[in-house]
């Protein structure tokens, strides 16, 4: 059975719940590291007041005993601290009272799932759509990805994320070893290594917020230590770059994805795109450059995976765009209570975790076994074969 997960839960409901199936037994989990990843997602200049209410932690309620996975499904819970303000509005049982008591939403916000979801599911209270479509759900995905990340780390695979640009402010490409990149970006309120760009990004976010607007950006994820041959060229849905692309665009507000130099490849001649193959005793086969972002033929080529995602500006605006009331069909401009002006730094953490998940899934497809020991033996055997090739 391949690795899979599902999440459930609403942004103002009691909790987010995730179930992971297909993890091997004897994976030692660091619980603090799981919550650390969740808290990284909550940070970043430009986040709104909701993040002052929440301090996310991952509680494991199944599949782990005495610090190790048992091979059973792993169940994870992330509580919503804000729920105490919403117990009546989000009650699973019917409640007394009209629209006000239910905080019924009948004014769809442009750029959100509100209107499409209302039409599709025939829901006259758009809260039923927005509660689930909220980016709060990415907390569950980070929890799940953080488990995958710990599995990868046991095999020397590391994941880092950083912000490439916010609005029109671009950071210089960080030419740093992965440990250093992780350390430097962790200290930055906008998750960039470039200090000059950091200052300009903060100023841009502040200005955007003052104007009642929001701003998006580009985030990048790098995965090092990946063995050659994850994914496959033989079938469309086994191409790992394609699976990663799907996962990236599935992150709330993501509208685009690039692998390696991505769209830049369309502007260059082939001689300046493809990465020459080299060989040395020490490194074996490797590449002179990594424009391909670690993929050829849908398979990893042993170079670091480099993936970028494009996040649109958050559509909840203090200065909202025109829309139409679903009760009256009349135009309106709504009042907004609370929003994030920029969630791009947080999105880089989400990107890391959805990519880690896809890599872990492909890793288990290749080296799969029911226990960590079996997987290690399979990996060692394969690496020997690659070294002798
Ligand atoms: C979100 C709206 C805001 C964000 C939320 C995503 O929440 P609220 O409507 O409660 O103010 O803070 O993000 C999170 C709660 C989170 O954990 O990321 C939205 O509409 O997507």
């Amino acid at each position: 059975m391949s690795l899979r997960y599902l999440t459930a839960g609403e942004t103002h409901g009691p909790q987010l719940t995730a179930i992971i199936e297909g993890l091997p037994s004897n994976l030692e989990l660091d619980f603090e590291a799981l919550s650390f990843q969740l808290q990284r997602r909550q940070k970043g200049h430009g986040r709104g007041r909701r993040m002052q209410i929440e301090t996310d932690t991952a509680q494991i309620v199944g599949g782990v005993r005495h610090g190790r996975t048992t091979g059973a499904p792993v169940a994870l819970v992330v509580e919503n601290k804000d729920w105490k303000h919403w117990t009546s509005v989000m009650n699973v049982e019917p409640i007394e009272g009209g629209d006000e008591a239910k905080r019924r939403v009948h004014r769809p916000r442009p750029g959100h799932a509100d209107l499409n979801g209302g039409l599709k599911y025939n829901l006259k209270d758009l809260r039923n759509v927005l509660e689930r479509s909220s980016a709060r759900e990415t907390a569950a995905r980070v929890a799940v990805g953080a488990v995958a990340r710990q599995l990868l780390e046991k095999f020397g695979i590391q994941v880092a994320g950083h912000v490439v640009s916010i609005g029109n402010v671009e950071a210089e490409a960080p030419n740093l070893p992965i440990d250093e990149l992780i350390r430097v970006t962790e200290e930055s309120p906008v998750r960039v290594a470039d200090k000059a760009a950091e200052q300009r990004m903060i100023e841009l976010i502040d200005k955007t917020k003052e104007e009642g607007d929001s701003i998006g950006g580009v985030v990048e994820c790098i995965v090092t230590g990946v063995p050659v041959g994850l994914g496959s060229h033989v079938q469309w849905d086994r191409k790992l770059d394609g699976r990663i692309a799907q996962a990236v665009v599935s992150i709330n507000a993501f509208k685009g994805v690039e692998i390696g130099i991505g769209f830049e490849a369309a502007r260059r001649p082939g001689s300046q795109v493809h990465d020459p193959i080299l060989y040395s005793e020490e490194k074996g086969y490797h590449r002179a450059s990594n424009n391909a972002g670690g993929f050829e033929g849908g398979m990893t080529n042993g170079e670091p995976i480099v993936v970028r995602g494009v996040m649109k500006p958050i559509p909840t605006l203090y200065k909202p765009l025109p829309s139409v009331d679903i009760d009256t069909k009349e135009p309106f401009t709504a009042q907004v209570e609370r929003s994030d002006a920029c969630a791009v730094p947080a999105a880089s953490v989400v990107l890391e975790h959805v990519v880690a998940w896809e890599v872990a899934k492909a890793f288990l497809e290749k080296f799969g076994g029911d226990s960590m020991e079996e997987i290690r033996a399979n990996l060692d055997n394969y690496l020997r074969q690659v070294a002798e090739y």
Side-chain angles (χ1 to χ4, degrees):
M1 174 53 73
S2 79
L3 193 60
R4 59 184 173 146
Y5 77 94
L6 288 173
T7 75
E10 283 69 37
T11 181
H12 302 115
Q15 64 184 47
L16 299 165
T17 309
I19 295 185
I20 307 175
E21 184 169 88
L23 282 172
S25 65
N26 295 334
L27 168 62
E28 210 175 301
L29 286 176
D30 177 340
F31 306 112
E32 269 176 35
L34 292 182
S35 293
F36 172 70
Q37 295 302 343
L38 284 169
Q39 283 152 24
R40 288 179 67 225
R41 192 199 67 93
Q42 295 193 275
K43 291 189 200 149
H45 195 76
R47 287 289 251 160
R49 272 176 290 137
R50 173 79 186 268
M51 286 306 101
Q52 290 158 20
I53 300 171
E54 305 294 344
T55 33
D56 290 341
T57 52
Q59 230 181 301
I60 296 184
V61 293
V64 177
R65 189 160 171 261
H66 303 162
R68 286 168 173 239
T69 55
T70 62
V74 169
L76 290 151
V77 165
V78 182
E79 277 180 20
N80 292 327
K81 302 256 177 355
D82 202 15
W83 182 60
K84 60 178 183 287
H85 306 119
W86 294 81
T87 50
S88 172
V89 177
M90 295 307 292
N91 209 317
V92 290
E93 303 212 8
I95 62 159
E96 298 292 324
D99 283 3
E100 197 133 322
K102 292 175 186 145
R103 292 191 67 170
R104 173 171 170 256
V105 176
H106 47 97
R107 294 175 152 191
R109 302 157 302 168
H112 279 276
D114 304 356
L115 183 58
N116 305 337
L119 291 167
K120 177 177 165 67
Y121 287 93
N122 194 27
L123 296 167
K124 293 286 166 62
D125 182 354
L126 302 178
R127 177 162 301 287
N128 289 318
V129 181
L130 73 87
E131 282 289 334
R132 178 63 184 157
S133 68
S134 162
R136 175 75 186 149
E137 192 264 348
T138 60
R141 282 201 260 175
V142 168
V144 162
V147 173
R149 182 182 196 133
Q150 290 196 21
L151 182 134
L152 294 175
E153 279 168 1
K154 306 280 186 215
F155 299 102
I157 299 172
Q158 272 187 293
V159 185
H162 67 104
V163 170
V164 172
S165 62
I166 293 182
N168 57 8
V169 182
E170 233 172 277
E172 226 165 276
N175 198 7
L176 297 171
I178 193 153
D179 288 326
E180 193 60 10
L181 180 65
I182 292 171
R183 195 186 63 73
V184 172
T185 52
E186 208 51 43
E187 286 167 7
S188 165
V190 283
R191 298 200 174 278
V192 289
D194 174 348
K195 283 284 163 201
E198 174 181 287
Q199 196 47 41
R200 282 184 292 130
M201 285 174 179
I202 292 171
E203 284 163 13
L204 176 62
I205 294 168
D206 291 344
K207 182 169 156 282
T208 304
K209 196 173 172 180
E210 266 166 42
E211 290 168 355
D213 220 323
S214 62
I215 192 103
V218 176
V219 290
E220 184 174 87
C221 173
I222 299 162
V223 189
T224 60
V226 187
V228 63
L230 299 191
S232 174
H233 64 293
V234 303
Q235 197 64 263
W236 69 272
D237 59 354
R238 294 178 61 188
K239 291 177 190 251
L240 181 55
D241 48 2
R243 292 190 339 196
I244 287 176
Q246 200 267 322
V248 172
V249 180
S250 82
I251 303 171
N252 306 51
F254 274 57
K255 301 298 275 185
V257 61
E258 289 185 308
I259 310 276
I261 60 169
F263 280 50
E264 173 62 21
R267 290 184 278 268
R268 296 188 192 176
S271 57
Q272 287 170 41
V273 169
H274 303 292
D275 307 304
I277 298 173
L278 306 172
Y279 182 85
S280 72
E281 281 291 322
E282 188 205 342
K283 287 187 175 174
Y285 292 102
H286 58 282
R287 307 297 155 126
S289 52
N290 188 22
N291 294 337
F295 284 103
E296 284 160 304
M299 289 171 279
T300 53
N301 64 5
E303 298 297 325
I305 294 176
V306 181
V307 185
R308 267 185 300 282
V310 179
M311 187 192 199
K312 70 179 180 182
I314 284 176
T316 308
L317 306 178
Y318 286 99
K319 263 194 329 205
L321 294 169
S323 177
V324 174
D325 191 304
I326 60 166
D327 291 345
T328 63
K329 314 286 190 279
E330 294 293 329
F332 74 92
T333 30
Q335 281 300 302
V336 175
E337 293 151 41
R338 186 166 79 178
S339 180
D340 303 339
C342 179
V344 174
S348 80
V349 178
V350 180
L351 177 73
E352 287 172 26
H353 288 87
V354 303
V355 172
W357 175 267
E358 292 303 326
V359 174
K361 185 173 163 184
F363 187 87
L364 292 187
E365 277 166 20
K366 176 111 185 80
F367 306 113
D370 295 306
S371 66
M372 287 295 278
E373 298 73 26
E374 200 179 347
I375 294 167
R376 186 167 297 283
N378 292 344
L379 173 66
D380 289 347
N381 191 40
Y382 172 73
L383 292 180
R384 208 171 308 120
Q385 175 194 303
V386 167
E388 286 165 8
Y389 174 83

